[in-house]
């Protein structure tokens, strides 16, 4: 019976040693608090602002055309040159730029020229996507008035020649009127030029507002 207190003493000492060992292990393996992890991540990057008016040079990855594209069709492009701010790369070459077809008109008959406008709204760099505001990139087909006048003139001249052979001056006048009408009909039946940009076309846009991005320190 006298050995019982001694046994209890041994058990108590063992339990104390076990608790101390567990406490040491927990302290040694304790994870860093979330705030410390966030702080280290924030220290690795910094914000850089690209000023308004900066030119972005792009290469289209999507083909667009005034006679095939529709408003709100998606348009993809990529930066052909890196954008630098204070000697640092704010946007690398190859950064993806996304947008939409903002306006489109195909060529009309006699009146109206084809027009195409693109609106680029975001850029992706370093795994982050940034909304951006840029001036629209737009183009309008060249006018065809001189060609139209030539077509009408040829029709009138040919009609006058034929009319003159058949009926003198009166026939020439009537033939000119008929020939001119035929030339006008040709213009009415022919559409003007379209605006087309195949994939690989180089375009440039200008930032309409500052763009802030995150870059590595």
């Amino acid at each position: 019976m006298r050995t019982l207190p001694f046994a209890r003493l041994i058990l108590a000492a063992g339990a104390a040693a076990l608790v101390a060992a567990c406490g040491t292990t927990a302290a040694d393996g304790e994870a860093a608090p979330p705030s410390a992890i966030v702080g280290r991540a924030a220290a690795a990057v910094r914000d850089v602002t690209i000023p308004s008016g900066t030119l972005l040079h792009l290469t289209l990855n999507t083909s667009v055309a005034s006679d095939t594209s529709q408003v709100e069709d998606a348009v993809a492009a990529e930066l052909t040159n890196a954008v630098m701010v204070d000697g640092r790369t704010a946007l690398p070459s190859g950064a993806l730029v996304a947008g939409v077809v903002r306006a489109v008109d195909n060529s009309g008959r006699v009146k109206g020229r084809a027009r195409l406008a693109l609106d680029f709204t975001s850029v992706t760099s370093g795994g982050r996507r940034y909304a951006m505001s840029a001036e629209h990139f737009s183009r309008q087909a060249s006018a065809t008035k001189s060609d139209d006048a030539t077509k009408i003139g040829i029709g009138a001249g040919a009609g006058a020649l034929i009319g003159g052979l058949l009926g003198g001056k009166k026939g020439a006048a009537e033939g000119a009127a008929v020939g001119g009408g035929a030339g006008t009909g040709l213009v009415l039946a022919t559409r003007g030029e379209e605006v087309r940009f195949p994939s690989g076309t180089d375009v440039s846009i200008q930032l309409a507002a500052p763009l802030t991005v995150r870059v590595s320190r």
Side-chain angles (χ1 to χ4, degrees), residues 55-73:
L55 283 177
L56 304 183
H57 302 288
L58 315 176
T59 298
L60 293 180
N61 293 332
T62 305
S63 296
V64 290
S66 58
D67 57 341
T68 58
S69 297
Q70 302 293 326
V71 172
E72 297 300 328
D73 280 355

Side-chain angles (χ1 to χ4, degrees), residues 39-55:
R40 288 197 294 267
V45 298
R46 71 185 186 97
D47 290 343
V48 172
T49 299
I50 304 170
S52 175
T54 299
L55 283 177

Side-chain angles (χ1 to χ4, degrees), residues 1 8 10 27 31 43 47 63 72 81 90 102 110 126 128 144 149-150 168 193 199 202 204 207:
M1 296 297 293
R8 288 178 177 175
I10 293 176
D47 290 343
S63 296
E72 297 300 328
N81 299 321
R102 184 58 63 202
V110 180
R128 297 184 180 90
T144 59
T150 301
E193 295 179 357
S199 176
D202 293 329
S204 295
L207 288 181

Side-chain angles (χ1 to χ4, degrees), residues 113-185:
R113 287 186 282 167
R115 182 173 65 98
L116 184 65
L118 309 179
D119 184 14
F120 292 97
T121 56
S122 70
V123 58
T124 300
S125 176
R128 297 184 180 90
R129 185 179 181 184
Y130 305 95
M132 70 177 188
S133 176
E135 302 291 343
H136 294 171
F137 174 83
S138 63
R139 287 291 182 272
Q140 189 174 40
S142 59
T144 59
K145 288 183 178 179
S146 60
D147 292 339
D148 295 346
T150 301
K151 291 174 183 176
I152 294 173
I154 290 175
L161 177 60
I162 295 172
L165 292 175
L166 297 178
K169 292 182 178 180
K170 181 179 179 181
E174 294 175 350
V178 173
T184 304

Side-chain angles (χ1 to χ4, degrees), residues 95-119:
L96 299 179
V97 180
V100 295
V101 174
R102 184 58 63 202
V104 60
D105 292 307
N106 61 10
S107 63
R109 294 188 173 93
V110 180
K111 293 184 178 180
R113 287 186 282 167
R115 182 173 65 98
L116 184 65
L118 309 179
D119 184 14

